Amino acid sequence: GESVGLHLPTLSVQEGDNSIINCAYSNSASDYFIWYKQESGKGPQFIIDIRSNMDKRQGQRVTVLLNKTVKHLSLQIAATQPGDSAVYFCAETLGEGGATNKLIFGTGTLLAVQP
Amino acid sequence: KAGVTQTPRYLIKTRGQQVTLSCSPISGHRSVSWYQQTPGQGLQFLFEYFSETQRNKGNFPGRFSGRQFSNSRSEMNVSTLELGDSALYLCASSLAPYNSPLHFGNGTRLTVT
């Protein structure tokens, strides 16, 4: 039968505002987390990562927060720009004793920046 | 430094045919992974290779196979194509074999008719 397309949650923000994209991850044993940005026609682009022994990490205009208690990850983008418009994915690795880079991806959030 | 290169960029195949996709990782990266992306299922893990050894395989039928060469290049093959195999196939490479960010190519868009 036909496959049903994923209904991507959408976050619409005004240019210059801060954006917060949330993600609930699935496995309490996951020990490494990554945020990716995917623009139309391109592959996912690495934004920032965080290990499970941290709860916050900052990059250029981006901050990732990790709450292991509730298995929640968030990406904050400061001073959002039109070029930030894209689909954002969180991804986790299951650790498996440190033997893999296998990623489990979330369904993604569409960030739409209004000029 | 050049990014991950995938060829071809687009492919159109007929049901029952087979296809081979190619991936050149970032120079110095020895870990290569493949993912399938579809609107219905999102991004799903296919394989992971390090130093020519398959370390992990996703939940895909045996029609999907892959390999990695001594120069870290990788290929994946899909035999007996089905309509449902239409997807964007993404290759990614990483510097280390674990807890290391994957850097993705722009993918091969496969359409099966």
Side-chain angles (χ1 to χ4, degrees):
Chain A
E2 284 188 3
S3 63
V4 177
L6 286 174
H7 175 68
L8 286 179
T10 299
L11 175 64
S12 186
V13 301
Q14 291 293 125
E15 181 179 358
D17 286 352
N18 295 334
S19 304
I20 300 176
I21 301 171
N22 296 302
C23 175
Y25 63 91
S26 58
N27 195 313
S28 56
S30 292
D31 59 3
Y32 180 58
F33 305 87
I34 309 177
W35 279 100
Y36 285 94
K37 170 188 179 183
Q38 188 174 26
E39 297 172 283
S40 181
K42 295 186 178 180
Q45 176 188 353
F46 171 79
I47 302 173
I48 191 168
D49 59 358
I50 188 168
R51 302 191 192 285
S52 58
N53 60 353
M54 304 171 70
D55 52 23
K56 179 179 179 179
R57 190 162 188 227
Q58 289 184 287
Q60 188 177 10
R61 279 202 308 120
V62 295
T63 300
V64 55
L65 298 178
L66 174 63
N67 185 330
K68 294 182 288 293
T69 303
V70 294
K71 295 191 289 183
H72 185 265
L73 200 62
S74 68
L75 177 71
Q76 301 177 0
I77 304 173
T80 313
Q81 302 166 1
D84 295 326
S85 294
V87 177
Y88 288 79
F89 293 95
C90 65
E92 61 187 295
T93 59
L94 297 182
E96 298 178 13
T100 182
N101 273 331
K102 174 183 172 181
L103 291 176
I104 306 299
F105 280 86
T107 53
T109 296
L110 175 62
L111 176 65
V113 182
Q114 310 301 323
Chain B
K1 197 181 249 189
V4 176
T5 304
Q6 292 189 245
T7 55
R9 192 79 171 88
Y10 301 93
L11 263 180
I12 300 175
K13 290 285 187 179
T14 304
R15 271 181 301 176
Q17 289 186 315
Q18 74 166 12
V19 66
T20 299
L21 312 181
S22 183
C23 172
S24 294
I26 292 171
S27 178
H29 286 195
R30 293 166 59 196
S31 178
V32 173
S33 303
W34 288 88
Y35 288 77
Q36 181 197 64
Q37 186 173 27
T38 61
Q41 301 298 320
L43 281 148
Q44 291 192 291
F45 171 78
L46 278 159
F47 322 100
E48 177 186 18
Y49 291 90
F50 181 76
S51 293
E52 301 178 69
T53 301
Q54 186 179 90
R55 289 154 50 87
N56 260 302
K57 188 178 192 301
N59 189 24
F60 280 83
R63 300 183 298 106
F64 291 80
S65 63
R67 60 179 175 168
Q68 186 182 31
F69 302 97
S70 59
N71 61 359
S72 296
R73 254 190 68 242
S74 179
E75 288 181 347
M76 67 163 282
N77 184 277
V78 187
S79 62
T80 320
L81 284 164
E82 300 178 358
L83 295 179
D85 297 334
S86 294
L88 180 66
Y89 289 88
L90 292 159
C91 174
S93 71
S94 60
L95 191 57
Y98 57 89
N99 287 358
S100 178
L102 301 188
H103 297 276
F104 284 84
N106 287 328
T108 294
R109 171 73 63 185
L110 172 65
T111 303
V112 182
T113 61

